[in-house]
mmCIF file of all heavy atoms in Angstrom:
data_model
loop_
_atom_site.group_PDB
_atom_site.id
_atom_site.type_symbol
_atom_site.label_atom_id
_atom_site.label_comp_id
_atom_site.label_asym_id
_atom_site.label_seq_id
_atom_site.Cartn_x
_atom_site.Cartn_y
_atom_site.Cartn_z
ATOM 1 N N ALA A 13 1.394 7.094 -17.976
ATOM 2 C CA ALA A 13 0.137 7.825 -17.799
ATOM 3 C C ALA A 13 -1.031 7.030 -18.385
ATOM 4 O O ALA A 13 -2.111 6.976 -17.791
ATOM 5 C CB ALA A 13 0.228 9.197 -18.436
ATOM 6 N N LEU A 14 -0.831 6.399 -19.531
ATOM 7 C CA LEU A 14 -1.890 5.572 -20.131
ATOM 8 C C LEU A 14 -2.198 4.350 -19.261
ATOM 9 O O LEU A 14 -3.362 3.981 -19.082
ATOM 10 C CB LEU A 14 -1.481 5.115 -21.534
ATOM 11 C CG LEU A 14 -1.536 6.171 -22.619
ATOM 12 C CD1 LEU A 14 -0.935 5.628 -23.905
ATOM 13 C CD2 LEU A 14 -2.955 6.628 -22.844
ATOM 14 N N ILE A 15 -1.167 3.729 -18.740
ATOM 15 C CA ILE A 15 -1.358 2.577 -17.856
ATOM 16 C C ILE A 15 -2.124 2.989 -16.611
ATOM 17 O O ILE A 15 -3.038 2.281 -16.159
ATOM 18 C CB ILE A 15 0.004 1.943 -17.493
ATOM 19 C CG1 ILE A 15 0.613 1.285 -18.726
ATOM 20 C CG2 ILE A 15 -0.133 0.941 -16.352
ATOM 21 C CD1 ILE A 15 2.054 0.870 -18.566
ATOM 22 N N ASN A 16 -1.796 4.144 -16.058
ATOM 23 C CA ASN A 16 -2.513 4.640 -14.885
ATOM 24 C C ASN A 16 -3.975 4.913 -15.199
ATOM 25 O O ASN A 16 -4.842 4.663 -14.361
ATOM 26 C CB ASN A 16 -1.841 5.902 -14.340
ATOM 27 C CG ASN A 16 -0.565 5.591 -13.617
ATOM 28 O OD1 ASN A 16 -0.296 4.459 -13.252
ATOM 29 N ND2 ASN A 16 0.255 6.598 -13.426
ATOM 30 N N ALA A 17 -4.268 5.422 -16.386
ATOM 31 C CA ALA A 17 -5.652 5.685 -16.775
ATOM 32 C C ALA A 17 -6.447 4.375 -16.823
ATOM 33 O O ALA A 17 -7.583 4.310 -16.336
ATOM 34 C CB ALA A 17 -5.702 6.390 -18.118
ATOM 35 N N VAL A 18 -5.858 3.346 -17.382
ATOM 36 C CA VAL A 18 -6.534 2.040 -17.450
ATOM 37 C C VAL A 18 -6.706 1.455 -16.054
ATOM 38 O O VAL A 18 -7.773 0.916 -15.717
ATOM 39 C CB VAL A 18 -5.747 1.069 -18.365
ATOM 40 C CG1 VAL A 18 -6.297 -0.341 -18.276
ATOM 41 C CG2 VAL A 18 -5.763 1.578 -19.795
ATOM 42 N N LEU A 19 -5.693 1.571 -15.227
ATOM 43 C CA LEU A 19 -5.763 1.087 -13.850
ATOM 44 C C LEU A 19 -6.856 1.823 -13.076
ATOM 45 O O LEU A 19 -7.613 1.209 -12.326
ATOM 46 C CB LEU A 19 -4.404 1.256 -13.168
ATOM 47 C CG LEU A 19 -4.261 0.779 -11.733
ATOM 48 C CD1 LEU A 19 -4.516 -0.720 -11.638
ATOM 49 C CD2 LEU A 19 -2.867 1.100 -11.223
ATOM 50 N N ALA A 20 -6.953 3.124 -13.280
ATOM 51 C CA ALA A 20 -7.971 3.922 -12.600
ATOM 52 C C ALA A 20 -9.372 3.513 -13.036
ATOM 53 O O ALA A 20 -10.276 3.388 -12.209
ATOM 54 C CB ALA A 20 -7.753 5.400 -12.882
ATOM 55 N N GLN A 21 -9.572 3.284 -14.316
ATOM 56 C CA GLN A 21 -10.888 2.856 -14.795
ATOM 57 C C GLN A 21 -11.267 1.498 -14.223
ATOM 58 O O GLN A 21 -12.431 1.245 -13.948
ATOM 59 C CB GLN A 21 -10.919 2.809 -16.316
ATOM 60 C CG GLN A 21 -10.982 4.183 -16.931
ATOM 61 C CD GLN A 21 -11.036 4.134 -18.443
ATOM 62 O OE1 GLN A 21 -10.656 3.138 -19.059
ATOM 63 N NE2 GLN A 21 -11.508 5.219 -19.028
ATOM 64 N N GLY A 22 -10.292 0.633 -14.038
ATOM 65 C CA GLY A 22 -10.552 -0.668 -13.428
ATOM 66 C C GLY A 22 -10.984 -0.552 -11.972
ATOM 67 O O GLY A 22 -11.593 -1.453 -11.426
ATOM 68 N N LYS A 23 -10.651 0.581 -11.355
ATOM 69 C CA LYS A 23 -11.044 0.816 -9.963
ATOM 70 C C LYS A 23 -12.202 1.805 -9.873
ATOM 71 O O LYS A 23 -12.408 2.439 -8.837
ATOM 72 C CB LYS A 23 -9.834 1.335 -9.167
ATOM 73 C CG LYS A 23 -8.754 0.285 -9.036
ATOM 74 C CD LYS A 23 -7.675 0.717 -8.069
ATOM 75 C CE LYS A 23 -6.729 -0.447 -7.854
ATOM 76 N NZ LYS A 23 -6.039 -0.357 -6.593
ATOM 77 N N ASN A 24 -12.950 1.948 -10.968
ATOM 78 C CA ASN A 24 -14.117 2.829 -11.042
ATOM 79 C C ASN A 24 -13.789 4.281 -10.730
ATOM 80 O O ASN A 24 -14.523 4.958 -10.027
ATOM 81 C CB ASN A 24 -15.246 2.329 -10.138
ATOM 82 C CG ASN A 24 -15.765 0.985 -10.575
ATOM 83 O OD1 ASN A 24 -15.793 0.686 -11.764
ATOM 84 N ND2 ASN A 24 -16.145 0.162 -9.621
ATOM 85 N N ARG A 25 -12.668 4.740 -11.234
ATOM 86 C CA ARG A 25 -12.268 6.136 -11.088
ATOM 87 C C ARG A 25 -12.130 6.743 -12.487
ATOM 88 O O ARG A 25 -12.094 6.022 -13.473
ATOM 89 C CB ARG A 25 -10.952 6.247 -10.324
ATOM 90 C CG ARG A 25 -11.049 5.667 -8.926
ATOM 91 C CD ARG A 25 -9.735 5.774 -8.187
ATOM 92 N NE ARG A 25 -9.784 5.062 -6.919
ATOM 93 C CZ ARG A 25 -10.289 5.579 -5.808
ATOM 94 N NH1 ARG A 25 -10.786 6.777 -5.800
ATOM 95 N NH2 ARG A 25 -10.287 4.874 -4.693
ATOM 96 N N SER A 26 -12.049 8.041 -12.558
ATOM 97 C CA SER A 26 -11.976 8.735 -13.847
ATOM 98 C C SER A 26 -10.616 8.505 -14.507
ATOM 99 O O SER A 26 -9.581 8.945 -13.994
ATOM 100 C CB SER A 26 -12.210 10.231 -13.645
ATOM 101 O OG SER A 26 -11.949 10.912 -14.850
ATOM 102 N N GLY A 27 -10.630 7.835 -15.644
ATOM 103 C CA GLY A 27 -9.386 7.570 -16.355
ATOM 104 C C GLY A 27 -8.744 8.849 -16.881
ATOM 105 O O GLY A 27 -7.527 8.996 -16.832
ATOM 106 N N LEU A 28 -9.556 9.786 -17.372
ATOM 107 C CA LEU A 28 -9.016 11.036 -17.906
ATOM 108 C C LEU A 28 -8.348 11.866 -16.811
ATOM 109 O O LEU A 28 -7.244 12.380 -17.001
ATOM 110 C CB LEU A 28 -10.122 11.852 -18.573
ATOM 111 C CG LEU A 28 -9.700 13.202 -19.145
ATOM 112 C CD1 LEU A 28 -8.645 13.014 -20.227
ATOM 113 C CD2 LEU A 28 -10.900 13.948 -19.677
ATOM 114 N N ASN A 29 -9.011 11.973 -15.674
ATOM 115 C CA ASN A 29 -8.412 12.735 -14.561
ATOM 116 C C ASN A 29 -7.094 12.128 -14.119
ATOM 117 O O ASN A 29 -6.123 12.838 -13.864
ATOM 118 C CB ASN A 29 -9.368 12.820 -13.380
ATOM 119 C CG ASN A 29 -10.542 13.725 -13.654
ATOM 120 O OD1 ASN A 29 -10.519 14.531 -14.577
ATOM 121 N ND2 ASN A 29 -11.583 13.587 -12.853
ATOM 122 N N TRP A 30 -7.046 10.807 -14.024
ATOM 123 C CA TRP A 30 -5.815 10.154 -13.581
ATOM 124 C C TRP A 30 -4.734 10.213 -14.653
ATOM 125 O O TRP A 30 -3.553 10.254 -14.349
ATOM 126 C CB TRP A 30 -6.086 8.719 -13.145
ATOM 127 C CG TRP A 30 -6.576 8.695 -11.742
ATOM 128 C CD1 TRP A 30 -7.872 8.668 -11.318
ATOM 129 C CD2 TRP A 30 -5.781 8.755 -10.560
ATOM 130 N NE1 TRP A 30 -7.919 8.693 -9.953
ATOM 131 C CE2 TRP A 30 -6.651 8.743 -9.458
ATOM 132 C CE3 TRP A 30 -4.416 8.802 -10.325
ATOM 133 C CZ2 TRP A 30 -6.196 8.794 -8.146
ATOM 134 C CZ3 TRP A 30 -3.957 8.844 -9.021
ATOM 135 C CH2 TRP A 30 -4.850 8.836 -7.949
ATOM 136 N N PHE A 31 -5.137 10.227 -15.915
ATOM 137 C CA PHE A 31 -4.156 10.388 -16.990
ATOM 138 C C PHE A 31 -3.466 11.744 -16.863
ATOM 139 O O PHE A 31 -2.237 11.839 -16.901
ATOM 140 C CB PHE A 31 -4.833 10.265 -18.362
ATOM 141 C CG PHE A 31 -3.920 10.551 -19.507
ATOM 142 C CD1 PHE A 31 -3.003 9.601 -19.938
ATOM 143 C CD2 PHE A 31 -3.963 11.773 -20.159
ATOM 144 C CE1 PHE A 31 -2.143 9.869 -20.990
ATOM 145 C CE2 PHE A 31 -3.110 12.045 -21.217
ATOM 146 C CZ PHE A 31 -2.199 11.091 -21.633
#
Side-chain angles (χ1 to χ4, degrees):
L14 286 173
I15 291 169
N16 286 344
V18 171
L19 182 61
Q21 285 181 339
K23 293 189 173 204
N24 296 326
R25 299 179 188 277
S26 172
L28 179 61
N29 289 343
W30 277 95
F31 174 78

